[in-house]
C-alpha cells in the first residue's frame, strides 16, 4: 500500500551541509531501487522530509533515518495512505530553503508534485509542507538536549515499613517536580500480601465485595502513610467510582479512617479512572460532591486512555488530571501525541486544572514534557513504586560541560 511518512528533525551542529548533500545523493539511488520517492527540505537548522512508497520499505527506511546520528529530535508528523504519490518524480530531491523566498519555495515544491488532482494540493501532507516552509508551529517543536546531558542521582528518601496485618498492603510511588527538587505527593497502590498487582488483589472478590475491599483497603493505606510518615506531602489513593456509590457512608468511613491516622482531608487526592467514570457519570457526580464537600481533592486518572476524556472534562472539572502512559510513551518522537498533549495542557491551563504524567521511563519523554510545560511527574525514571515503603528518588542534575 502506498504509504507517506513525514518527519521533522534537527541537524547536529557538528555536521556540515556538504555532508548532507552527498548523503542525499546516495539515499537517492537506494530509494529509487526500492521504489521510494519523496522530498527533503532543509532550512539551515531543521530537516523536513516526506517519504513515500510501499509501506514496508518506507517504514524500514524511516527507522534507519531515525538511527542516523547526523540529526536528532526526529519527530514523526504524519503517517498516511494515498492513492498516488505526492512527489513521484525525484528519488529524493533536496531543497535548501535558504536559496528561495518563502513564496517561491512553496511553488517550486509544488512544481515537483505528481498528485493527480489539483484538489489534493490541500491534503494534510501538503499542508504540513506549507506550515514548515512558513515557519508555523516552530514554537511547538522543542529542542531537546541529548539525554546524556543529565545525570540521575539517587537520594536517601527510601523508607521500609513492616508488612501490615490484614488483607492487603500498598506500594508507594512519589509524584515529583524534578526541576524544583520537590516531592509533591505519594500515590498508594494496592498490592496482595505477596506483593502482587491490584488486578490480582481485586480478582479475589466477587460482586459488590470488590467495592468493600476497595474501600476497606484504604484504612491500611492511611495507616501506612502515617508510619512513613507522610509529613506535609499529599497522599493519592485510587478508588473505583462505584465504591463510593455502592458502599453506604463511604465518604464518612474514609474521613474517620483519615482522622484516626492524623491525615487531614485536604491532604488527600482521590483518583478515579476515566473509563469507569464515564460509564457511571450520574452516580459518580453525586459521590464526588460528598468528597469535595469534605475537602478531599479529586483527580481523573488515566486521562486520555478511555476515549471519553474531552466529554468528561466538559461535564466535570477535577482538581487534577493524570495523563496515562499510553499517551506519553515515546512522545518525543510522535507529532500526533505531542499535539494532543499540547492541547490538553492548554485546556487544563484555561480551566486551572493541575496536570501530572504517569509512567515516565525515558529521559527524552521527561524532557519533552518539561518543555511542553508539565511540572509533575511519576514514573520509573525517577522512582518505581516500592512495596511496603518509599523508594529512593533519582533526581536529574544537569551535567556541567568540561
Ligand atoms: P494508576 O493509578 O495509573 O497507577 C500507576 C501504575 O503505573 C502503577 O501500576 C505503577 O506501578 C505503574 N507505573 C508507575 N510508573 C511506571 C513506569 O514508569 N512504567 C510503567 N510501565 N509503569 C509504571 P499498578 O500499581 O500495577 O496499578 C495499576 C492500576 O491499578 C493503577 O493505575 C490504578 O488504576 C489501579 N489501582 C491501584 N491501587 C488501587 C486501589 O487501591 N484501588 C483501586 N480501585 N484501584 C487501584
Ligand atoms: Mn492512580
Amino acid at each position: 500500500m502506498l504509504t507517506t511518512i513525514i518527519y521533522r528533525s534537527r541537524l547536529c551542529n557538528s555536521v556540515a551541509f556538504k555532508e548532507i548533500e552527498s548523503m542525499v545523493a546516495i539515499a537517492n539511488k537506494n530509494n529509487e531501487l526500492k521504489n521510494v520517492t519523496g522530498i527533503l527540505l532543509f532550512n539551515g537548522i531543521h530537516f523536513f522530509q516526506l517519504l513515500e512508497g510501499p509501506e514496508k520499505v518506507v517504514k524500514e527506511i524511516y527507522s534507519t533515518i531515525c538511527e542516523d546520528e547526523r540529526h536528532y529530535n526526529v519527530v514523526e508528523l504524519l503517517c498516511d495512505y494515498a492513492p498516488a504519490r505526492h512527489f513521484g518524480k525525484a528519488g529524493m530531491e533536496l531543497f535548501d530553503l535558504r536559496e528561495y523566498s518563502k513564496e517561491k519555495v512553496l511553488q517550486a515544491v509544488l512544481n515537483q508534485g505528481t498528485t493527480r488532482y489539483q484538489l489534493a494540493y490541500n491534503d494534510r501532507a501538503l499542508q504540513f509542507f506549507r506550515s514548515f516552509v512558513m515557519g508555523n508551529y516552530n514554537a511547538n517543536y522543542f529542542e531537546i538536549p541529548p539525554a546524556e546531558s543529565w545525570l540521575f542521582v539517587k537520594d536517601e528518601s527510601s523508607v521500609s515499613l513492616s508488612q501490615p496485618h490484614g488483607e492487603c498492603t500498598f506500594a508507594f510511588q512519589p509524584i515529583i517536580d524534578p526541576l524544583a527538587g520537590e516531592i509533591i505527593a505519594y500515590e498508594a497502590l494496592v498490592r496482595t500480601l505477596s506483593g502482587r498487582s491490584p488486578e490480582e488483589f481485586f480478582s479475589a472478590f466477587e460482586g459488590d465485595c470488590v467495592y468493600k475491599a476497595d474501600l476497606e483497603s484504604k484504612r491500611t493505606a492511611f495507616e501506612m502513610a502515617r508510619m512513613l510518615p507522610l509529613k506535609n506531602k499529599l497522599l493519592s489513593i485510587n478508588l473505583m467510582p462505584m465504591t463510593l456509590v455502592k458502599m453506604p457512608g463511604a465518604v464518612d468511613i474514609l474521613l474517620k479512617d483519615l482522622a484516626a491516622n492524623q491525615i487531614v482531608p485536604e491532604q488527600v487526592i482521590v483518583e478515579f479512572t476515566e473509563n469507569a467514570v464515564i460509564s457511571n457519570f450520574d452516580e459518580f457526580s453525586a459521590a464526588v460532591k460528598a468528597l469535595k464537600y469534605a475537602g478531599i481533592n479529586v483527580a481523573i486518572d488515566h486521562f486520555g486512555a478511555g476515549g471519553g476524556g474531552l466529554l468528561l472534562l466538559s461535564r466535570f472539572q477535577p482538581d487534577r488530571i493524570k495523563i496515562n502512559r499510553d499517551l506519553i510513551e515515546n512522545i518525543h518522537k510522535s507529532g500526533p501525541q505531542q499535539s494532543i498533549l499540547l492541547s490538553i495542557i492548554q485546556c487544563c491551563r484555561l480551566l486551572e486544572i493541575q496536570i501530572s504524567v504517569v509512567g515516565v521511563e525515558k529521559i527524552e519523554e521527561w524532557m519533552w514534557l518539561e518543555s511542553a510545560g508539565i511540572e509533575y511527574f511519576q514514573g520509573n525514571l525517577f522512582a518505581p513504586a516500592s512495596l511496603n515503603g518509599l523508594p529512593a528518588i533519582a533526581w536529574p542534575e544537569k551535567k556541567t560541560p568540561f
Side-chain angles (χ1 to χ4, degrees):
M1 205 186 308
L2 183 65
T3 301
T4 311
I5 288 185
I6 296 181
Y7 74 86
R8 183 174 177 163
S9 66
R10 190 195 159 111
L11 177 72
C12 290
N13 287 339
S14 55
V15 179
F17 184 58
K18 276 265 165 280
E19 223 182 289
I20 303 301
E21 284 179 309
S22 49
M23 175 200 81
V24 170
I26 298 168
N28 246 334
K29 284 204 189 107
N30 282 339
N31 292 346
E32 226 169 305
L33 288 175
K34 292 178 176 161
N35 203 11
V36 170
T37 55
I39 196 159
L40 174 64
L41 311 186
F42 180 66
N43 66 10
I45 304 169
H46 295 121
F47 291 109
F48 177 98
Q49 184 168 21
L50 177 148
L51 293 157
E52 52 196 356
E55 184 167 19
K56 188 162 168 285
V57 201
V58 166
K59 291 205 164 150
E60 272 165 19
I61 293 181
Y62 182 59
S63 64
T64 315
I65 289 174
C66 289
E67 298 301 311
D68 195 318
E69 289 184 351
R70 285 168 288 199
H71 67 166
Y72 63 104
N73 286 347
V74 185
V75 179
E76 183 179 317
L77 299 174
L78 170 142
C79 177
D80 203 0
Y81 306 90
R85 291 170 195 258
H86 297 85
F87 300 100
K89 282 187 208 158
M92 187 60 62
E93 186 137 0
L94 171 64
F95 268 85
D96 186 345
L97 299 191
R98 295 168 299 180
E99 290 174 9
Y100 300 84
S101 70
K102 276 185 185 174
E103 295 68 29
K104 287 238 172 77
V105 77
L106 205 56
Q107 198 48 55
V109 169
L110 291 179
N111 287 345
Q112 291 300 320
T114 53
T115 305
R116 259 185 297 170
Y117 308 108
Q118 193 78 26
L119 203 61
Y121 282 176
N122 283 326
D123 80 354
R124 290 181 60 224
L126 292 179
Q127 294 296 1
F128 270 116
F129 264 96
R130 287 200 175 88
S131 296
F132 181 75
V133 170
M134 297 305 180
N136 302 345
Y137 311 127
N138 274 348
N140 294 332
Y141 177 82
F142 303 131
E143 304 291 356
I144 309 292
E148 299 78 53
S149 53
W150 295 94
L151 197 67
F152 280 75
V153 185
K154 273 197 182 166
D155 68 8
E156 309 270 302
S157 64
S158 74
V159 172
S160 321
L161 301 175
S162 53
Q163 173 132 322
H165 304 290
E167 290 193 331
C168 67
T169 182
F170 279 82
F172 290 84
Q173 188 177 33
I175 298 156
I176 65 168
D177 180 341
L179 292 185
E182 265 178 53
I183 301 168
I184 308 298
Y186 290 108
E187 177 168 11
L189 298 155
V190 77
R191 296 287 182 266
T192 65
L193 287 177
S194 54
R196 305 189 79 92
S197 70
E199 209 183 347
E200 264 188 60
F201 171 71
F202 287 117
S203 70
F205 302 94
E206 277 179 15
D208 286 0
C209 292
V210 168
Y211 307 121
K212 187 163 177 277
D214 194 21
L215 182 64
E216 285 180 357
S217 69
K218 300 301 138 13
R219 184 177 308 142
T220 307
F222 300 153
E223 282 165 5
M224 291 175 84
R226 175 171 52 92
M227 305 296 287
L228 285 172
L230 195 56
K231 294 193 188 135
N232 57 350
K233 311 287 184 295
L234 297 167
L235 175 70
S236 243
I237 57 166
N238 298 278
L239 275 182
M240 296 169 205
M242 289 313 280
T243 296
L244 293 186
V245 178
K246 298 270 183 182
M247 298 299 297
V251 175
D252 289 335
I253 296 172
L254 286 173
L255 291 174
K256 196 167 126 275
D257 291 343
L258 282 172
N261 291 290
Q262 289 110 49
I263 303 171
V264 293
E266 286 75 6
Q267 227 177 331
V268 177
I269 305 166
V270 175
E271 303 183 359
F272 294 104
T273 296
E274 180 194 285
N275 253 347
V277 168
I278 276 288
S279 49
N280 306 291
F281 186 72
D282 291 340
E283 288 140 315
F284 166 78
S285 299
V288 155
K289 273 186 204 158
L291 279 181
K292 299 281 322 197
Y293 188 67
I296 293 175
N297 302 285
V298 173
I300 294 294
D301 210 355
H302 304 180
F303 188 85
L310 297 179
L311 181 61
L312 174 59
L313 211 52
S314 73
R315 293 186 187 163
F316 165 72
Q317 297 78 45
D319 303 294
R320 293 155 189 264
I321 63 166
K322 298 186 78 174
I323 296 175
N324 208 36
R325 169 141 190 83
D326 307 341
L327 264 187
I328 57 124
E329 185 172 8
N330 286 325
I331 194 159
H332 55 294
K333 296 183 188 169
S334 159
Q337 280 167 263
Q338 293 180 359
S339 310
I340 292 165
L341 216 83
L342 287 170
S343 60
I344 296 177
I345 292 172
Q346 164 81 344
C347 175
C348 288
R349 258 194 204 134
L350 294 173
L351 293 169
E352 301 294 351
I353 295 172
Q354 239 182 45
I355 306 184
S356 58
V357 291
V358 184
V360 183
E361 288 181 357
K362 297 198 179 111
I363 298 177
E364 292 89 344
E365 292 166 350
W366 163 62
M367 282 191 294
W368 190 91
L369 292 160
E370 282 277 0
S371 307
I374 302 279
E375 287 168 283
Y376 304 132
F377 294 82
Q378 180 177 352
N380 294 351
L381 176 64
F382 306 101
S386 171
L387 184 67
N388 298 327
L390 298 181
I393 301 172
W395 297 96
E397 280 179 19
K398 192 100 195 185
K399 282 186 203 164
T400 42
F402 293 99

